Amino acid sequence: MPVEFLGIAATHDGSETTARSGAAFDKEYTLRLARAHEEHGWDRVLFAYGSGSPDPAPAAAYIASRLDRLQILLAHRPNVSYPTFAAKTFATLDQISGGRLTVHFITGGSDHEQGREGDTLTKDERYARTREYIGIVKKIWTTHEPFDHEGEHYRFHDFVSDVFPFRQPRPDVSFGGSSPAAYAAGGAEADIYCLWGEPLAETAAQIEAVRAAAKAAGRTDVPRIQVAFRPIIAPTEELAWEKARRTVGAIRARRAEGLVRHHRGDARQAATPQNVGSQRLIAIAEAGERYDRALWTPTAAATGGAGNSNALVGTPETVAQALLDYYDLGVDILSARGYDLLDDAIDFGRYVIPIVREEVARRDAERAARGTHQTLATVAG
């Protein structure tokens, strides 16, 4: 099966290890970083969402209007706009991009972060709202006649949009999470299900949970699987591990100085995050530092399990082979983000992506040849 690579569309040059050098929305840097992804073999970039961060939708439109091939994964929280409005925004952006949009719906794993923008629903209520929201957006994208909606969280009457997606019948829907409620919602609604990088055994179990949820929802297909990592690469193994230790040191220093916004003002939550995904990352880190071929957990431990934070450490060849291990589990979208956003995106694109693509193509060719041979043998028999 084809493999795709997802990078990050940051709007400034800051990261967990380095303070940003300018404004939260640096237009020139945003374009430079996106162009680096497009020119170095990446398929799409994520425009992330944060309560106080620049609005990702116009930032994505800015990039879509200036680049020709790079696809867009737009993160969106249902609490920030009504689904009728959001569906039109997404359709307009898909028109601007010529069909390059995927929408990633975020339910929200932290009461504190959701509350920053007035969202007071419980976690279970948020998942119910997200499922209802996605269903409405899909219907608006594909319905050309006015309709009413009477749901638990949304009510409207006689609505029909006058703007429809470029991609038909609609853009893909992306979803993530590691709780049973997340599996149920994403298994029912998602075209792409997103996971944070965990050891191979745990990832395989999560994939099975997603597939089981899709089956339970009555689907005959299953979501594609995306897994996210923080690669740390260098020309030799020794240099890669030295770089990894420096990276963790920088993360810890910035957190100790109170320079990381993610959990500021919420110290208790930083120690015991609400969302299951972060809890899993912390538990895995407490159980061990190294797993499988190259997975390294101290980066996750240093951030308190904040988001995509487990690393893959080694030479480009080692990291590529580690990614192929996940591909063998059924993962066909590989998400990667370094700590020096621009330089790491270029290096990963130059040295890791080609190895993975070449090996995937070789394996696909071998499978196709075996299939042809088996077909001929059956006919001959």
Side-chain angles (χ1 to χ4, degrees):
M1 61 184 175
V3 65
E4 297 181 7
F5 288 91
L6 169 71
I8 189 69
T11 59
H12 59 75
D13 60 357
S15 75
E16 296 94 330
T17 61
T18 308
R20 73 181 191 226
S21 62
F25 180 61
D26 181 333
K27 184 170 71 172
E28 287 72 25
Y29 182 84
T30 301
L31 179 57
R32 186 181 176 195
L33 180 61
R35 182 171 286 132
H37 282 85
E38 182 171 83
E39 292 176 350
H40 290 87
W42 298 79
D43 296 286
R44 60 170 60 89
V45 289
L46 166 66
F47 284 84
Y49 189 91
S51 59
S53 301
D55 187 346
Y62 169 66
I63 294 303
S65 66
R66 284 159 176 79
L67 300 181
D68 298 324
R69 300 185 307 277
L70 194 66
Q71 298 175 55
I72 293 163
L73 179 59
L74 178 68
H76 179 77
R77 287 183 184 165
N79 63 293
V80 300
S81 67
Y82 216 71
T84 50
F85 176 83
K88 294 184 296 180
T89 300
F90 303 148
T92 303
L93 180 52
D94 198 53
Q95 288 287 340
I96 292 171
S97 69
R100 288 178 281 151
L101 177 68
T102 296
V103 182
H104 180 68
F105 290 92
I106 303 173
T107 298
S110 162
D111 291 347
H112 181 80
E113 169 65 9
Q114 295 299 120
R116 284 171 169 156
E117 293 186 284
D119 186 7
T120 59
L121 297 186
T122 65
K123 184 177 179 180
D124 287 345
E125 290 171 338
R126 291 199 296 267
Y127 274 111
R129 178 182 61 191
T130 300
R131 291 185 69 167
E132 183 178 346
Y133 196 99
I134 293 173
I136 293 169
V137 169
K138 286 180 177 178
K139 188 170 183 178
I140 292 171
W141 280 342
T142 56
T143 301
H144 293 258
E145 298 296 330
F147 69 95
D148 299 340
H149 179 82
E150 293 281 346
E152 180 181 358
H153 297 279
Y154 302 102
R155 295 182 180 182
F156 54 84
H157 306 284
D158 199 38
F159 180 81
V160 63
S161 178
D162 197 32
V163 56
F164 293 91
F166 181 93
R167 180 179 176 182
Q168 291 296 309
R170 59 171 178 80
D172 280 344
V173 164
S174 172
F175 191 89
S178 297
S179 67
Y183 298 145
E189 297 291 349
D191 302 295
I192 298 169
Y193 200 96
C194 306
L195 301 170
W196 290 333
E198 295 186 3
L200 291 166
E202 284 80 356
T203 300
Q206 286 195 291
I207 292 173
E208 287 307 310
V210 172
R211 290 173 175 169
K215 183 178 180 180
R219 291 178 60 169
T220 56
D221 64 339
V222 294
R224 298 172 65 195
I225 301 297
Q226 172 184 305
V227 177
F229 303 96
R230 305 301 293 270
I232 300 174
I233 62 172
T236 69
E237 296 291 330
E238 181 180 7
L239 290 173
W241 286 104
E242 289 178 2
K243 183 178 178 181
R245 288 187 285 271
R246 289 197 306 271
T247 298
V248 167
I251 294 171
R252 289 171 177 161
R254 281 179 56 74
R255 285 180 64 84
E257 295 170 8
L259 299 175
V260 180
R261 176 70 177 96
H262 188 79
H263 290 300
R264 185 178 298 167
D266 193 24
R268 289 176 300 174
Q269 187 172 317
T272 56
Q274 278 186 298
N275 72 84
V276 174
S278 292
Q279 293 170 9
R280 288 173 64 100
L281 293 185
I282 292 171
I284 290 166
E286 289 174 346
E289 289 193 355
R290 296 180 66 168
Y291 292 85
D292 305 318
R293 194 186 300 266
L295 191 74
W296 196 55
T297 64
T299 46
T303 65
N308 170 24
S309 50
N310 268 338
L312 292 176
V313 182
T315 64
E317 292 78 12
T318 296
V319 170
Q321 291 302 318
L323 292 170
L324 287 162
D325 292 338
Y326 288 89
Y327 174 81
D328 289 340
L329 294 180
V331 177
D332 67 338
I333 303 176
L334 300 168
S335 174
R337 172 163 56 103
Y339 292 93
D340 183 335
L341 300 180
L342 181 61
D343 288 347
D344 286 349
I346 293 171
D347 286 347
F348 188 89
R350 282 177 175 168
Y351 303 118
V352 178
I353 289 178
I355 298 174
V356 176
R357 289 201 193 280
E358 182 178 353
E359 178 61 19
V360 167
R362 185 188 69 78
R363 294 180 186 187
D364 287 349
E366 286 183 352
R367 278 192 290 267
R370 286 196 299 270
T372 300
H373 177 75
Q374 291 170 355
T375 300
L376 292 173
T378 300
V379 172

